[in-house]
Amino acid sequence: MIISITGTDGGGKGAVVGYLVERKGFVHCSARALWVEEIKKRGLEVNRANTRIVANDLRAKHGNDFLITEYARRTGFKPENNYVIESVRAVAEAETLKKYNGLLWAVDADQHIRYDRIQSRASELDRISFEEFVRQEDLEMNDPDPHGMQKAKVIAMADILLTNDGTQEELFAQVEAALKKFFTTQ
């Protein structure tokens, strides 16, 4: 099975992915890892702006579904494995995921909670003010670049929305409920 995770920054995508990888044995396919790999190849500074630019460029060169097709190429999406793809942000990625019979799960939380979370994780991509966080999020929700992120549309395409305003245990209970809903043979 293939589950792709979409959602807002700091919403809890990584927590859901971690749960699926650590507790359920899923193979992790990370968009961030692809983008950072390419940023470093190009000798650029690893930051949010360059991540968006490089991701858009890779989509322009290889198709707007590059994230899914690249991981299909790298892993073969072998039927004996379960995969979790973090994180789908373009409509074409979500559409191609469906061609592989994958599910799309969205994760979201209150904007202030999410900002506090990204500040606490201290990633090189997240060293920004709240105002910059909001500006970047507005752009990523509906990027005018045809190869850019369309998070709002992708979240609307999700098979399920996990709301992460509470504890991790509450989030993980939603994950378990979703697994039972979609994979009753588990």
Side-chain angles (χ1 to χ4, degrees):
M1 86 183 67
I2 304 168
I3 298 173
S4 286
I5 308 296
T6 190
T8 52
D9 288 341
K13 295 183 302 293
V16 172
V17 168
Y19 185 88
L20 292 172
V21 169
E22 294 163 21
R23 297 194 189 177
K24 301 295 180 180
F26 278 67
V27 175
H28 185 199
C29 303
S30 168
R32 183 178 291 199
L34 285 181
W35 311 147
V36 169
E37 178 184 305
E38 184 65 21
I39 288 168
K40 289 180 177 178
K41 278 184 193 173
R42 296 181 185 191
L44 300 171
E45 178 184 354
V46 177
N47 59 38
R48 292 186 63 81
N50 285 338
T51 301
R52 186 175 53 78
I53 290 165
V54 166
N56 291 359
D57 184 56
L58 287 171
R59 288 186 196 105
K61 288 179 180 170
H62 304 288
N64 285 343
D65 61 352
F66 174 73
L67 172 64
I68 305 301
T69 59
E70 180 61 12
Y71 273 115
R73 184 189 69 74
R74 288 184 183 200
T75 69
F77 290 144
K78 297 178 182 111
E80 65 270 17
N81 293 330
N82 294 319
Y83 299 90
V84 60
I85 303 170
E86 178 192 18
S87 70
V88 171
R89 296 175 182 224
V91 170
E93 293 167 349
E95 292 170 344
T96 298
L97 166 71
K98 299 293 183 178
K99 291 177 185 173
Y100 285 98
N101 296 315
L103 290 172
L104 181 62
W105 291 6
V107 187
D108 195 13
D110 173 80
Q111 191 174 49
H112 288 282
I113 291 171
R114 292 186 293 105
Y115 178 74
D116 289 344
R117 286 179 185 151
I118 71 157
Q119 291 306 297
S120 67
R121 68 186 180 201
S123 161
E124 55 201 11
L125 300 179
D126 297 319
R127 295 184 196 132
I128 57 173
S129 68
F130 180 75
E131 293 74 24
E132 182 63 20
F133 174 75
V134 170
R135 276 193 299 279
Q136 287 178 355
E137 182 164 86
D138 289 344
L139 175 61
E140 292 172 2
M141 283 296 187
N142 294 294
D143 192 332
D145 182 328
H147 307 292
M149 292 184 225
Q150 297 293 319
K151 284 190 204 178
K153 290 177 184 172
V154 175
I155 290 168
M157 296 171 71
D159 297 296
I160 193 165
L161 174 63
L162 307 173
T163 303
N164 186 23
D165 289 332
T167 67
Q168 239 183 14
E169 290 75 23
E170 291 168 329
L171 176 63
F172 296 158
Q174 291 178 67
V175 170
E176 284 295 333
L179 288 170
K180 286 180 182 141
K181 176 181 178 179
F182 292 107
F183 307 105
T184 55
T185 59
Q186 290 259 10

